[in-house]
Amino acid sequence: MTEMKALLRFPGERKIALTDCPIPAPGKNAVLVKTACSVISPGTEFTQANQTHASLLQKAWQRPDLVALTLKHLKSEGFGRTRARVENRLGRPMPMGYCAVGRVEATGENVTDLKAGQRVAIAGMGQANHAKWNQVSVNLACPVPDAVPDRKAVFATLYALALHALRQGETSIGDRVAVIGAGLIGQLVSEAAHVAGALVAVIEPDLSRRKIATRESRAADFAKASDAPQSRFDSVYICAPGKGNHRLIDDAARLCRDRGTIICVGDVTPNGRRKALYEKEITIRQVRSYGPGRYDPNYEERGEDYPLGHVRWTIKRNMQAALDLMADERLDPTPLITSEIDFADIADHFTKGPDPAQLATLVRYRYAENVPLKPHAPSALTSKPARDHVRVGLIGAGSYLGGGLLPLLQKHPKVEITACCSQSGLAAVALSKKIDGLRMYGGADELLEDQSVNSVIITTRHDSHAELAAASILAGKNVWLEKPIAIDRAGLDLLREATDRTPRHIFMVGHNRRYAPMAAKLRDALPTGVKQFHYRVRISPLPDDHWLHHSDEGGRTIGEISHFIDLIMSLVDSELNELNCYWIDRAAGDSIWQLRFADGSMGEVSYLHGNRGEPKEVLEVTAPNFLASLFDWKKLRVNGRIVLRNWLGQDKGQAAAIKAFAGAVLSGERPALMPSIEDEINLMARILMAANTANAQTPN
């Protein structure tokens, strides 16, 4: 196990600290970079620091959408579960920094254009962090020319932002440009505009900043907008902080010529008096970070580039242009470095607060020795009864685990959570603050080598489920795998192969609904013979950038539908003969699934987007002289009588499922209610076949 230091902010504790973290393993489309230096951008990063120190009420005011989501969970899940969700979210640390430079130490399997030992400039919040090691998407890592030293290359990300701003303003040779604000970003925009051949004027009240901006007669300078010539400029770039400040737009409008352009580079409220905007027919444009590709998960996470002929200037191409211009000595950020600190002192730097005299602070990283990265060699261990305790390693520690499963695992007297790994390592850090002695790993390979771990719980993204489960089986671990167990046939084959190569072990899928108290009550009440099940599931839309929309994640329906099919199967004491899917809107996931059993029983799951306020799940069971309804896991009615009610929220069976898994691991015996791994594989195979062969029509 290898660890590093990273600068993290902890919203729940309202502090910023240099913290021990596991060194992350590079993902398939990423590289692992050993940081040489990073740069602190005071405007953005001290704003983040202030947000971290804000009270809970101030945070709620800043994010009313999260407050609304919390109230929704409170209504459906009750106080205890909602509190766990909030604590999990606030307890998760957030990295700081977004521009750095270093050397590639390892590459993901899909990375072909970067190699170990290569110097790269790296970009992006959550990726190019103030940390000794960073896992960075291949599209946010750019090779550094030999002629550019690290102290200059570290500015590639910030220059990319400036270049993208100029492209938004369509600035060209001979244009007259005004830059309002000569902070770090304003300095870079004015310098880049000068190099592009524009005639630049800088408006900044601070004399020392004006002197830096006007060095070598690069720009004219004015202390305030009223001193600059009016109606003169083709473009006005607002690089001063102006959230809620309408005067910035008004000042920029007065400076613009007829049909000029205002470009909002910083956090500027794009509001102003209509008169000047209307009479001059001024265009207002926003700058979205470093260029096309930003906030696109296909570009940033999956490493998919935009074709050059369609998108000339992406994030990476802007970074490369900046590095080339630095190599050609046309751009030089050195005068902007107003202080330098060692990485060990970075937390103190933020504790002191912003210094108005500072522009960029260069952070230097020192290493006593190289940290070895050891390869993983999976061991073929035999899974044996744990006898005393279930010693759990968590693979993945997202919101569902932290806010749902974790509190229940901690309550079980025979479960010890001993190790954890997560994609970035930050979720593992959050858990280490809740669980004494927790060992943090940078990847699943390291965790699976831990001989003290006898069981793993896998709650990662869906495309990794089968591969991680197969590796866990081969490592001799008992496995709890969240649904779906696979998203394609290749994943199922991987699981079958792993199962065939190892002795019997406990393998459980997180189909918790079959273990719920209401499901048990309903099961006991069901009559023998033919029954009809109608399961209405109403889903809410996901954000457009949600990871479940990625094509390689299998889609939302494949990720969730097995929950509901499994519950019906657990209530029918008969073999499933037929499973059919009818797509209503495959892209959205809307579908109807029909089940036919050997005893003549039938089931239907209508999995559709619903109206706001509708219950998510309603299950109705009918048979001769029998009617039961399960209403959103809050109320169970059988033949007109309420037999079970959850007053404090929903109980979907997670606690009972954990109890069943722990009991199976301790005894080495699978309980009757727990399907075998062969049954789980066969069910998922039928779901995939039904989904892929379904037509686009609703059933008759």
Side-chain angles (χ1 to χ4, degrees), residues 13 38 120 126 178 188 210 250 336 396 462 498 502 540 558-559 651 697:
E13 301 176 51
S38 58
V120 289
L188 297 171
R210 293 206 307 274
D250 293 338
L336 306 180
H462 299 168
T502 57
S540 301
I558 295 302
D651 184 350
Q697 303 298 319

Side-chain angles (χ1 to χ4, degrees), residues 372-599:
L373 297 177
K374 55 182 180 178
H376 170 64
S379 55
L381 302 177
T382 301
S383 177
K384 298 179 180 179
R387 302 190 186 283
D388 54 351
H389 280 84
V390 182
R391 293 181 294 278
V392 172
L394 305 174
I395 302 178
S399 298
Y400 175 68
L401 182 129
L405 294 182
L406 182 64
L408 301 174
L409 288 166
Q410 291 179 296
K411 289 179 181 178
H412 196 289
K414 291 293 186 178
V415 172
E416 293 180 357
I417 303 172
T418 62
C420 178
C421 67
S422 60
Q423 185 175 21
S424 67
L426 297 182
V429 172
L431 289 183
S432 71
K433 292 187 170 293
K434 299 178 181 179
I435 303 170
D436 292 338
L438 183 75
R439 294 184 295 282
M440 299 180 292
Y441 293 106
D445 289 349
E446 285 185 288
L447 185 146
L448 293 177
E449 288 180 342
D450 189 334
Q451 301 298 307
S452 69
V453 173
N454 59 38
S455 306
V456 297
I457 294 180
I458 301 171
T459 59
T460 55
R461 290 189 178 183
H462 299 168
D463 64 332
S464 62
H465 281 190
E467 183 178 353
L468 289 172
S472 301
I473 292 169
L474 292 174
K477 312 297 184 185
N478 301 294
V479 177
W480 169 306
L481 176 63
E482 272 307 310
K483 47 79 192 166
I485 65 172
I487 59 172
D488 53 29
R489 300 286 300 193
L492 294 176
D493 291 342
L494 199 63
L495 285 171
R496 285 195 180 98
E497 181 182 354
T499 304
D500 291 343
R501 289 173 54 189
T502 57
R504 292 299 176 189
H505 49 275
I506 302 303
F507 181 93
M508 178 173 171
V509 179
H511 288 143
N512 47 274
R513 283 162 175 77
R514 65 164 52 219
Y515 300 94
M518 281 191 181
K521 278 281 189 183
L522 178 57
R523 191 177 294 112
D524 292 341
L526 289 174
T528 58
V530 176
K531 294 171 280 292
Q532 172 74 35
F533 298 82
H534 185 201
Y535 205 157
R536 299 198 304 273
V537 181
R538 296 297 176 260
I539 57 177
S540 301
L542 292 173
D544 290 340
D545 60 351
H546 195 282
W547 60 267
L548 268 174
H549 291 310
H550 298 181
S551 59
D552 54 5
E553 293 293 346
R556 185 178 187 179
T557 307
I558 295 302
E560 192 174 29
I561 198 67
S562 64
H563 251 328
F564 317 114
I565 294 173
D566 174 80
L567 177 59
I568 294 176
M569 291 178 63
S570 75
L571 298 173
V572 180
D573 187 19
S574 182
E575 183 179 353
L576 178 65
N577 280 351
E578 188 177 341
L579 176 65
N580 294 307
C581 169
Y582 300 87
W583 291 109
I584 296 175
D585 185 341
R586 184 159 192 169
D590 292 338
S591 53
I592 294 176
W593 297 73
Q594 290 184 339
L595 300 81
R596 297 179 185 273
F597 295 88
D599 69 349

